[in-house]
Amino acid sequence: MTAPRPERRLNLLTGDWVLVSPQRVSRPWQGAASAPKPASGLIHDPSCYLCAGVTRAGGAVNPDYQGVYVFDNDYPALLPGLTAPGPEPDPLLVSEPEAGVCRVICYSPDHSLTMAGMSRAQIEAVIDAWTEQFVELAGRPDIGAVTIFENRGEMMGASNPHPHGQIWAQQHLPNEQVAEDACQRAWLVANDVPLLTAYLEREFEVGERIVVQNDTFVALVPYWAAWPFETLVLPRRSVTGLDELSVRERAGLADVLSRLTRAYDRLFDTPFPYTMGFHQRPVDGRPEEHITLHAHFYPPLLRSASVRKFMVGYEMLAMPQRDLTPEEAAARLRTLV
């Protein structure tokens, strides 16, 4: 049997390369190990500024909400309103104004409930709220892109354990979407089929990186995954945004999100940290048939509940690198769905 050798794989969505080094997977570890913080188990925490009825730091009082609750972030990274161009640009010191809106979306009034513990109906309600927010924000003249995301766990920088995500809508298309937009647009021009449609067909042919699927959605470990247990969630029918999903497809998305997040929690028997987010069409008015809605899950854990992957050194100075192959990661997750 041939010994595994390093190779680089192309991320079709961004044009970046990822170094895969399977021969390193058994290397010993004497680095940092961060014990995960256990869930509190509290249904309501009067000190939590996302719980129902609590006064937030900025003075606003949360209503006694019973389902999904959305509000404007009290400490936003972006501010609304169309912005005028700045002074004549300096080619060495380049900047420009950026307008936008930042919102918080509480998934449930239950302080202890994560997506992995939510019912499919509860996740569908979150998807409905995501969709409503996307439609509303996309209709604003000062918005060109809407990013919906969640940071789960202290390891991923979540400032509050209450189950919640964020929505940042801004004037210009952010970096990751710029790269994905260009790659998907170029592929459609060259091949007359959306990139992620062609890619999903190939993944079904190969089969080894599929983690969970139903009639409308699929979660898989992408061929070019950089994070150890990274996954990509794709619709079977190419749509450009959440607002184009049918009722049946929203139910299918809820099912895949439920099963995938439960599998993550089972992997190391811990509340699994991750950053998750949706990429949809830009909302600048251009035709966007090259875009396919998809969600990225970027979890940092590598070997256990306490040992994580660090994107440092070579990853920051050269290119992403991984030891565990995407195929091995998919096989491990698949047994837990």
Side-chain angles (χ1 to χ4, degrees), residues 2 13-14 31 50 52-53 60-61 90 103 107 163 178 182 216 222 230 255 259-260 279 282-283 295 325 333-334:
T2 304
L13 276 173
T14 64
L50 298 182
V61 179
D90 182 332
R103 290 178 177 167
Y107 296 165
V178 167
T216 59
E230 176 181 334
D255 172 62
R259 293 162 68 190
L260 178 62
H279 284 163
V283 293
T325 68
L333 287 171
R334 202 162 41 240

Side-chain angles (χ1 to χ4, degrees), residues 87-96:
E88 193 68 25
D90 182 332
L92 296 177
L93 303 172
V94 182
S95 65
E96 61 183 28

Side-chain angles (χ1 to χ4, degrees), residues 44 50-54 61-69 108-109:
H44 184 273
L50 298 182
C51 277
V54 172
V61 179
N62 295 328
D64 186 22
Y65 65 93
Q66 300 300 309
V68 181
Y69 172 50
S108 165

Side-chain angles (χ1 to χ4, degrees), residues 110-129:
D110 187 336
H111 182 77
S112 66
L113 191 63
T114 66
M115 188 172 289
M118 296 170 70
S119 69
R120 283 161 177 72
Q122 288 173 313
I123 297 175
E124 282 187 61
V126 173
I127 295 170
D128 289 343

